[in-house]
Amino acid sequence: MFIWIGRLCRARRRYSAAMFRAKLLLALSLLGLLALTEGGVALWAQRSAVQQVQRGRLTSDILKGYIELSANKQRLRSWAAQRLLADSATDTLRDSLLQDMQAGLAQLHALAGQLDLLEAALQEPGRREIRQRSLDVLERHLLELGRALKGLAALPPGTDATQASQRLRSLFDESQGQDLRRLLNAEMEAERLATSQSRQAADQALRAIDRGVTWLSAGALMLTLALLAYFAWALRQPLDALMRGARALREGDLGHRIPAKGRDEFGELARSFNQMAGELQQHRAQEQADRALLEDMVQARTAELRQALDTLQALDARRRRFFAELSHELRTPATAIRGEAEVALRGGERPAQDYREALQRIVDTVGQFSHVLGDLSQLARSEVEALAMREDLLAWPPLLARSCEQAAVLARAAQLRFDWQLRPSSDAARLRGDAQRLSQALAIVLDNARRYSRPGGAIRLQAVEEGGQLRIDLLDEGIGVAEQDLPQVFDRLFRGEAARAHRPDGLGLGLAIARDIVQAHGGDIALSNRETPGCHLRLNLPLVTGGVEA
């Protein structure tokens, strides 16, 4: 601690710019040193007191052990007297008393060992050798006494009581040439004296703690008050100047400056404050320039928002047009059905052929009406069931075969030739997905190829396994798609001019629904024009093998 304080003092002399900080560190170091000294003294005194208390407890426990040992010895002496004079004492009581005395000696040995260690820590000589010698004498005496008592028999009738008394004294009071009563009394007196000394030493340690803490606390208080007075005086003027400067900045007076006196921390702080005030003046000018720039940016953003609003209005117009077209699509077949029915019912009886032709026209019109409703149903179902997608392992050849067989029937009815070829490379490859939704997507693209093909044309489908995917190529000889319309063919509600001219019915939902189904299964779909008239649609779906993706 003193070395650290010396270094702080040298640093104070070396760096005058850190003068006040060095003073503060020096003051804190002095207070810390005083606190450490106070704590050290208290810790030392407390440790001494604790050791003395422990020593007193051990000596008191040893004294208690000697007293219990002496009491048990007296009980055993009474038992021996009964055995000699009346032969009425039981062996059970003798064995119990001997066992208690052995346990008491074992405990005295343990307590003596603990006391020896504690006295060694206190660097006090103690009574280690004397105590150990006495315990050894008592232990050997107890062994001899136990053997003697097990063979003790009653004296013959008419024996003088003096002989019994001498017999008891030789058994209990004399051993190895020593008077055991005197030995026990000496040990108990020594432990009483040690207990008293330990208590006195503990009291002295506590009084030392009290005196040391009192004097050190008083010194720390006086030093703290002196340092507080000094630093309060040293901080008043610079803090007042800083407060005046802060108040000026708060009121907007950026030209206010604090006198920078001295080379200590407060002088450095005053110079930093003045520099900050100058920078604030520059920032105010920059802020005004930034504000003007921000206004320009807001105007630009407003223009972008206005453009976005125009886009939304265009989308709203497209939505309105869609509902207008939808209304027209629904109203036209309904009007035609009603008109055919009214014409058939108007006037008198007609030939059956007229009614048959009218009903056929109504059936055709209902077919167009059903097609429009089917597109709307697919749109609603694709929105509602977007999250209801099952995942099964499906064998793809039977799935495609069923869709192709249905498409072949419809193609023949439209005077088209439909050829299809499925080339599976292994039986283990499967599709993971929803069979119903995949069949729906296949039906959409096959129906789309049929609707935009001319009678006498051909449609070809080929499915092969390639690179862990199922590749489906669908080629038709239909009307094709304008190049500018290709990026939008999969958008909802989009129909090109050529498609509208070829088939006025339809809402432009089929390919969008097929794309959503394919993408939900991890695949992709694309449409392009062929060199000859017609379109080429390619559909890729991932395959799995044995439950693991191929």
Side-chain angles (χ1 to χ4, degrees):
M1 178 62 71
F2 289 107
I3 296 175
W4 185 41
I5 294 174
R7 290 179 178 176
L8 287 176
C9 294
R10 289 194 296 271
R12 176 177 174 271
R13 290 192 298 268
R14 191 179 300 116
Y15 303 105
S16 59
M19 184 182 301
F20 192 84
R21 181 167 49 192
K23 293 178 181 179
L24 184 60
L25 287 176
L26 180 60
L28 293 177
S29 300
L30 290 174
L31 290 176
L33 177 61
L34 190 60
L36 288 175
T37 304
E38 181 179 357
V41 171
L43 183 62
W44 170 80
Q46 180 186 8
R47 182 179 179 185
S48 299
V50 169
Q51 288 176 337
Q52 293 297 336
V53 170
Q54 290 177 348
R55 182 184 178 189
R57 179 179 59 81
L58 289 173
T59 54
S60 177
D61 291 342
I62 292 175
L63 175 61
K64 182 180 177 182
Y66 278 126
I67 293 173
E68 290 179 355
L69 184 64
S70 178
N72 287 328
K73 186 178 179 182
Q74 287 300 116
R75 296 188 188 97
L76 193 60
R77 188 187 188 108
S78 299
W79 177 90
Q82 292 178 6
R83 172 61 66 91
L84 289 172
L85 298 176
D87 198 17
S88 60
T90 63
D91 293 342
T92 303
L93 178 60
R94 178 199 63 198
D95 295 339
S96 176
L97 292 173
L98 287 173
Q99 186 176 2
D100 290 344
M101 292 178 69
Q102 289 174 353
L105 277 176
Q107 185 177 9
L108 285 173
H109 274 293
L111 292 172
Q114 297 178 18
L115 184 58
D116 292 341
L117 293 176
L118 184 58
E119 288 177 344
L122 292 173
Q123 297 181 355
E124 294 182 1
R127 302 179 59 254
R128 177 178 180 181
E129 296 180 357
I130 299 175
R131 188 184 298 112
Q132 189 62 42
R133 250 191 333 266
S134 299
L135 290 174
D136 291 341
V137 170
L138 290 173
E139 189 171 6
R140 286 193 296 271
H141 169 66
L142 183 60
L143 292 175
E144 295 172 356
L145 182 62
R147 289 194 294 267
L149 292 179
K150 288 181 180 179
L152 187 64
L155 295 173
T159 303
D160 188 5
T162 304
Q163 295 181 3
S165 177
Q166 292 176 354
R167 177 65 171 162
L168 291 174
R169 188 166 48 254
S170 63
L171 287 175
F172 288 92
D173 297 338
E174 296 177 359
S175 177
Q176 305 162 46
Q178 296 189 33
D179 188 345
L180 296 180
R181 288 183 301 175
R182 187 174 298 173
L183 176 65
L184 277 175
N185 291 332
E187 287 296 323
M188 287 189 288
E189 184 62 29
E191 298 304 334
R192 286 193 187 95
L193 180 60
T195 303
S196 176
Q197 291 175 350
S198 298
R199 289 177 179 174
Q200 292 176 2
D203 293 339
Q204 291 176 359
L206 291 175
R207 286 193 294 272
I209 292 175
D210 184 53
R211 287 194 301 270
V213 171
T214 301
W215 282 104
L216 289 173
S217 299
L221 178 62
M222 296 297 294
L223 180 60
T224 302
L225 292 176
L227 292 174
L228 285 176
Y230 170 75
F231 284 109
W233 172 79
L235 288 173
R236 186 183 61 184
Q237 291 183 352
L239 287 180
D240 289 343
L242 287 174
M243 290 179 62
R244 287 193 297 271
R247 192 179 301 111
L249 289 183
R250 184 180 60 191
E251 295 173 355
D253 184 10
L254 299 182
H256 181 82
R257 296 294 183 268
I258 299 176
K261 299 179 180 179
R263 300 183 59 188
D264 58 2
E265 290 85 352
F266 292 107
E268 191 67 25
L269 182 60
R271 285 185 285 272
S272 299
F273 182 91
N274 296 335
Q275 183 180 0
M276 180 186 66
E279 292 177 354
L280 285 176
Q281 285 182 321
Q282 297 178 359
H283 289 324
R284 175 175 290 181
Q286 183 66 34
E287 179 185 359
Q288 294 176 351
D290 292 341
R291 183 179 300 172
L293 179 61
L294 181 60
E295 291 177 354
D296 295 339
M297 293 175 64
V298 169
Q299 292 179 358
R301 185 59 178 168
T302 302
E304 293 177 0
L305 292 175
R306 187 178 295 110
Q307 183 179 1
L309 179 61
D310 294 340
T311 303
L312 289 176
Q313 289 176 347
L315 292 175
D316 184 66
R318 181 176 176 181
R319 179 183 61 82
R320 293 174 181 274
R321 184 172 66 252
F322 163 70
F323 283 112
E325 292 177 356
L326 177 61
S327 176
H328 174 73
E329 291 287 346
L330 295 177
R331 185 170 57 250
T332 299
T335 303
I337 292 171
R338 180 176 180 178
E340 290 290 346
E342 289 178 350
V343 170
L345 294 175
R346 189 180 302 154
E349 295 291 333
R350 297 190 178 192
Q353 183 63 28
D354 292 345
Y355 289 113
R356 186 176 294 106
E357 292 176 356
L359 289 175
Q360 183 61 44
R361 287 191 294 273
I362 290 174
V363 168
D364 294 340
T365 306
V366 169
Q368 298 177 5
F369 191 77
S370 298
H371 185 76
V372 173
L373 293 180
D375 286 346
L376 291 176
S377 176
Q378 286 182 341
L379 174 62
R381 188 163 56 251
S382 65
E383 295 292 339
V384 173
E385 299 178 356
L387 298 178
M389 186 74 69
R390 295 182 55 184
E391 286 195 5
D392 299 320
L393 288 178
L394 309 170
W396 66 266
L399 180 68
L400 265 66
R402 287 193 296 269
S403 297
C404 291
E405 289 171 355
Q406 295 174 0
V409 175
L410 296 175
R412 284 195 298 272
Q415 301 179 5
L416 296 170
R417 187 177 76 257
F418 179 59
D419 300 325
W420 49 283
Q421 183 179 13
L422 309 179
R423 294 191 296 177
S425 61
S426 65
D427 294 335
R430 296 287 188 273
L431 286 174
R432 185 188 297 276
D434 191 322
Q436 182 178 356
R437 301 306 296 268
L438 289 173
S439 298
Q440 179 185 0
L442 291 171
I444 289 173
V445 297
L446 289 170
D447 183 67
N448 201 65
R450 177 182 59 81
R451 293 178 63 196
Y452 293 103
S453 294
R454 298 183 180 87
I459 301 174
R460 294 190 301 278
L461 182 142
Q462 183 178 7
V464 297
E465 296 178 12
E466 182 180 86
Q469 289 193 336
L470 174 63
R471 192 189 72 195
I472 302 174
D473 292 305
L474 181 63
L475 296 92
D476 62 54
E477 298 176 355
I479 62 173
V481 180
E483 290 296 330
Q484 65 272 16
D485 293 340
L486 281 175
Q488 305 177 65
V489 292
F490 291 101
D491 293 347
R492 291 181 183 271
L493 311 177
F494 176 79
R495 298 189 71 207
E497 294 296 331
R500 292 176 182 272
H502 183 77
R503 294 293 296 266
D505 56 332
L507 299 175
L509 299 174
L511 288 179
I513 294 173
R515 178 202 58 189
D516 293 343
I517 294 174
V518 171
Q519 290 180 351
H521 286 76
D524 59 82
I525 186 172
L527 182 69
S528 60
N529 284 320
R530 301 174 59 190
E531 294 182 1
T532 57
C535 292
H536 175 199
L537 183 139
R538 172 165 291 182
L539 191 153
N540 294 310
L541 290 169
L543 292 172
V544 296
T545 303
V548 180
E549 294 191 5

